[in-house]
Every structure is written in C-alpha cells, then in structure tokens.
Amino acid sequence: MPAAPFRMFALLWLALLALPVHAAAVSVPPQPVTSLAAPRAVVALSVAPPAPAALAVPDDLPLGELRLPPGFTVELYARVPNARQMALGTRTLFVGSMRAGMVHALPLDDTLRPLRVLRLAEGLTLPAGVAFHEGALYVSAVSRLLRYDRVEEWAHARADATQPPGTAASPPRPAIVRADLPSEMHHGAKVLGFGPDGMLYVPVGAPCNICRTGPRHGVILRMRPDGTGEEVFARGVRNTVGFDWHPETRDLWFTDNGRDWLGDDLPPDELNHAPVAGLDFGFPYCHGGTIADPEYGDLGACAAATPPARNLGPHVASLGMIFYTGRQFPAAYRGQVFIAEHGSWNRSTRIGYRVTLVRLEGGRAVSYEPFAEGWLRGGGPWGRPAALLMLPDGSLLVADDYAGAIYRIRYAGR
C-alpha cells in the first residue's frame, strides 16, 4: 500500500484517542483509594496507539486463565487505575498512571503487602515514569520532570490508622527539576531510571511513527539528579519504554518498539545492549539490524548501526524490562531478562499480551520464550502487561494498565 494511505490511517487511529481507556476501579480490601489532589494541570491525552477493542475487563479478574511455568503462582496484588511504571522506595511502592494523569503511592507492611492505595498526584500530563532516588520520588510529565521529597513520610502517615484525623493530609508539593524536555505528545510519555553511575536516564521517543529525528528525539538522555549535565547516551532509538542495567557488567539494556505499517511481520521489536555511550541503534533508517527502511533507508546503512542483542516479536509492544536479581526464583532465572509485552494494536492477528523471558549466556541473548501468558482471549485481551518490578523477597510484580491491576508472581516450588 502506498505511504500516504498508511499515514492517513495512522492519523485516524490517533483521532480515536479522545475515547478514554477505562480500567476497572473496584477496590480490594484493605486498599481503599484516598483522593488527595496535588496542584492540578491540564490533562493532555496520549497520542500513543489506543487500546484495541476488547472484552470488558471483569471486576473479578480471571487469574485462573494465566499460564506460568510449573511451580509459579500469581495473585492480585493491588488495583491501581492505568498502572504503568513502578518504583520501590524503602517501604512504599509508587505507580505512574499514564493516561489517568495520576501517581499513586502504596505504603507496604512488613510482609510487603499494600496497606492502602493513595493518590499522590493527579492532573498531570502522561505521568508514565517514576523513579525513587535518595528519599525522593521523580515523576515524568512529558516536558516536565518533578521531584516529590519526603514522600514516604506522607504515605505512611496516611496509612497509619492510629494517626489523628488530618495528619499529613496533603501530599508534598513537587519541585520542578526540569520543564524543558521535549514536549511532543506522540511517544511523549517518558519512563525513568537511575543508573549505577547515579545519573538519571530519560528516553525520549521519536515524535512520529517514522521520520527524521532531531538531536533530542529518538534518544536516551542522561543527566544529574538535579537535571543538569544533560547528554545523549544512545541514539537511533524509536521508542524505549523499559530499560535496566546488567547486575554484573552494569551495562544498559533496553527494549525498543519497532515502526508500524510495514505489515504484520515486520519489523521486530528489539532488545538492545549499550555497553558504552554514543552508540547508534539505527532508527529511522534501519530496523531489526538488517531491514532498511523503505522511506528513510538512505540516511544510513544497517551495517553502521548497532544491531539488536535480540529481535523480539513484531508489534508485540515490548515495554517494561528488568534483570531478575532475586533468590526466590530457581537459579536458571537469575540474571535473565523479563519483558512486559503490552500487545499489538494494529496487527491482523494479535500477539504479545504476555511476559516473556530472554536468556543470556556469556553476555549474549540466546533465547526468547513466553513466561506468563493468558491475558489474550479469542475475543480480545482482558489485560495488558506494561511494567515489571522485583520486590525485596524476589517475587515479581506485573503492572497491567488495561485491567487497572498489579499482579504478584511467586515461586512456590514443584
């Protein structure tokens, strides 16, 4: 099909974003939602692809449909509207709710279970990214980078039923770390992470499906915690929504979403490895290490780009990823990569909607396989994995922004 009709069809998809994405909001005791408003801002709609038409998300989520390897169990951990990236403080779980424009705080008890689900902020623009560093919570809001200080004190004061009414009722007001990050809404939601070097890493997606990008788009930025010293760590990256550092080498690894409208099976999503700064991963001229883009292939040669560490499924929407460093799962999972696949939105046969495992040997990605499946039914998905986080006991949290849920995966033995 010619490029112009493809672009027109893509614009029609973007127009559908005025339709809200609904997540089930039924609370699970003992987790009442407390609405505590931070200073409001105009909520902007995401220009990311809409959630596919699907069966209504049931209030009683069908966890029995999820399939895991022998010995693993899954449970509902919390209901959080539109749950995306998660960050763990010393005793609090923080969750960005991208399209909902909110950030939630879940103070944890001694068994790592949530005491309550508290609304830390609302009215933000695409707060998909959260990161905890030296007692403060960092939150992305497209062009703004916010910092909430002493946030755990507030969360646990609100969770403590013995405190007098009104104690620490208002959440802390955020400090503005940056207000000049790229403001485009297409791929504008930004995940966050602090590296072993103490620097804050902030991917900035390409403001398009496929286009020539400027110096601050299609990149992974890094900066000091106070927002100064910005530099480009990696370029040629279409849209990274998940990254982590290898537990031994401390190298950066990240997922990248492939472009649309080259057919059902092209190009693949990617798992990439950046052992040093300054590498170019090929966007927009090369995809999957070998596929020259039909429109922008003349901008560079695939041989000159850094190839993926592993090609993933086409259009699976690989989002959050982590290295598993816990001790609860069997030894074969330690040091391996888990990826949350949000699921395809424009493929004739849907794929993804699962958590996958990439196994490494000697620093090389040698296999790619399903780990947790079952969110996709014949009639459509009832959930969409979006982000991953490991708790201190080694269990794995999976955020589902479609069902408005967080699941906890444990290993109980055979």
Side-chain angles (χ1 to χ4, degrees):
M1 185 179 293
F6 274 138
R7 291 198 185 98
M8 183 176 297
F9 189 63
L11 292 173
L12 290 175
W13 269 115
L14 299 181
L16 292 176
L17 288 166
L19 299 176
V21 177
H22 295 290
V26 177
S27 61
V28 177
Q31 302 166 33
V33 175
T34 302
S35 177
L36 296 169
R40 295 188 63 86
V42 176
V43 178
L45 293 175
S46 167
V47 294
L55 300 175
V57 175
D59 292 339
D60 183 14
L61 297 178
L63 298 186
E65 296 182 12
L66 298 180
R67 303 182 299 277
L68 293 154
F72 287 91
T73 63
V74 60
E75 64 182 358
L76 180 62
Y77 186 72
R79 297 304 296 264
V80 178
N82 194 222
R84 293 288 294 230
Q85 190 178 21
M86 300 173 286
L88 189 64
T90 59
R91 52 190 180 135
T92 312
L93 178 68
F94 300 98
V95 185
S97 295
M98 185 178 79
R99 296 188 189 216
M102 301 175 185
V103 178
H104 292 88
L106 285 66
L108 307 180
D109 65 17
D110 292 339
T111 69
L112 302 177
R113 292 189 174 277
L115 295 167
R116 304 183 76 176
V117 178
L118 305 171
R119 191 174 300 168
L120 169 63
E122 62 182 359
L124 300 178
T125 306
L126 305 185
V130 290
F132 192 82
H133 181 67
E134 295 185 347
L137 181 70
Y138 289 71
V139 176
S140 69
V142 187
S143 62
R144 296 197 302 160
L145 181 61
L146 308 176
R147 188 188 72 240
Y148 292 82
D149 298 320
R150 304 182 66 178
V151 67
E152 287 197 285
E153 295 179 24
W154 164 79
H156 281 267
R158 289 294 299 154
D160 187 352
T162 67
Q163 293 289 325
T167 300
S170 298
R173 296 179 65 87
I176 299 176
V177 178
R178 293 285 296 268
D180 61 345
L181 294 175
S183 60
E184 288 82 359
M185 299 293 286
H186 194 112
H187 297 154
K190 300 169 178 65
V191 293
L192 304 175
F194 281 91
D197 55 6
M199 301 283 277
L200 175 60
Y201 287 68
V202 185
V204 180
C208 56
N209 169 40
I210 183 76
C211 61
R212 186 194 298 262
T213 57
R216 295 180 82 211
H217 291 93
V219 297
I220 299 177
L221 302 176
R222 70 174 174 182
M223 63 193 73
R224 299 186 187 97
D226 64 0
T228 62
E230 177 187 306
E231 62 181 351
V232 173
F233 182 81
R235 64 180 68 256
V237 180
R238 180 177 178 270
N239 185 33
T240 287
V241 194
F243 57 93
D244 197 6
W245 288 265
H246 191 283
E248 295 179 359
T249 67
R250 304 297 183 91
D251 293 348
L252 179 69
W253 292 64
F254 60 93
T255 57
D256 194 13
N257 283 225
R259 65 158 292 179
D260 298 313
W261 313 122
L262 288 185
D264 274 3
D265 298 321
L266 291 175
D269 279 10
E270 301 173 4
L271 174 64
N272 290 303
H273 175 204
V276 296
L279 299 179
D280 182 346
F281 291 86
F283 182 84
Y285 60 88
C286 183
H287 313 289
T290 60
I291 303 166
D293 189 82
E295 297 176 72
Y296 294 93
D298 59 349
L299 296 181
C302 282
T306 301
R310 183 79 188 191
N311 282 335
L312 309 175
H315 310 296
V316 295
S318 52
L319 301 190
M321 66 142 288
I322 65 166
F323 282 96
Y324 183 77
T325 59
R327 309 293 296 179
Q328 184 186 115
F329 290 9
Y333 292 93
R334 295 171 195 161
Q336 309 304 311
V337 176
F338 285 101
I339 299 173
E341 295 187 351
H342 203 224
S344 59
W345 66 276
N346 64 342
R347 196 174 185 273
S348 59
T349 301
R350 293 173 178 160
I351 58 173
Y353 306 94
R354 60 185 184 173
V355 177
T356 53
L357 174 69
V358 173
R359 295 189 183 275
L360 306 184
E361 289 182 5
R364 296 186 308 108
V366 297
S367 67
Y368 167 53
E369 62 197 62
F371 174 73
E373 299 180 282
W375 285 279
L376 180 62
R377 292 169 165 164
W382 61 265
R384 305 186 77 186
L388 304 170
L389 183 75
M390 192 187 72
L391 288 177
D393 68 348
S395 57
L396 182 67
L397 296 184
V398 181
D400 177 345
D401 65 343
Y402 190 70
I406 299 175
Y407 315 100
R408 187 179 190 178
I409 296 176
R410 305 171 183 261
Y411 182 72
R414 296 181 184 273

